[in-house]
Amino acid sequence: MTPEIYIPRRSRKILENDFRNRDAVYQILSSLKKDERSVKFKNANAAEGWMEVDKKISTGHDEQGRMYVGEIKQQDTKFVVLIGHKKNQSKDFEYMKNNHPSKMIKDK
């Protein structure tokens, strides 16, 4: 059984609007599904339940893409992934502080 990755609508819009090239995002998502230990993380500014992918992520415009991962084990979902951009990072941190990954699955 391979883990399912849930990407909330908010992140899908950012991916669609701010990422001209999504290859780097797809590569990280693929690595996460194959072996989550292959993805390096750092603390996501003390947002409980979230970790930030510790890698510069190309958007096709710049290297300012951001990905945040929350590991959950609910239903058929193992990870919740938020996608953002450095310019919106403070809003992303606020969003994560108010939305624990285990509660995100209810938005599916």
Side-chain angles (χ1 to χ4, degrees):
M1 180 175 141
T2 59
E4 181 181 319
I5 296 172
Y6 173 58
I7 301 173
R9 180 176 48 229
R10 174 183 198 269
S11 292
R12 291 191 307 262
K13 284 183 175 181
I14 290 169
L15 188 60
E16 183 179 312
N17 295 329
D18 294 341
F19 285 71
R20 182 173 64 201
N21 183 322
R22 299 173 187 100
D23 292 347
V25 171
Y26 296 147
Q27 181 181 7
I28 294 168
L29 292 174
S30 177
S31 295
L32 192 60
K33 283 186 78 166
K34 287 179 187 172
D35 180 9
E36 68 244 37
R37 293 169 297 176
S38 69
V39 180
K40 304 293 183 222
F41 295 101
K42 62 183 178 182
N43 190 343
N45 200 31
E48 185 181 341
W50 294 101
M51 295 299 293
E52 182 176 350
V53 172
D54 190 14
K55 180 179 180 175
K56 292 185 179 190
I57 301 169
S58 175
T59 66
H61 301 290
D62 55 34
E63 300 286 319
Q64 298 296 311
R66 300 292 187 263
M67 287 179 71
Y68 309 96
V69 177
E71 185 171 4
I72 61 171
K73 293 183 178 157
Q74 289 177 237
Q75 301 169 18
D76 58 349
T77 303
K78 188 168 182 184
F79 300 104
V80 175
V81 175
L82 296 178
I83 299 166
H85 192 275
K86 178 71 174 175
K87 67 183 177 189
N88 299 323
Q89 198 168 33
S90 61
K91 290 179 186 176
D92 291 339
F93 287 145
E94 189 64 31
Y95 181 83
M96 287 184 286
K97 285 179 183 177
N98 293 320
N99 293 280
H100 192 275
S102 64
K103 295 179 182 167
M104 299 293 295
I105 196 71
K106 295 174 186 174
D107 296 337
K108 261 177 110 169

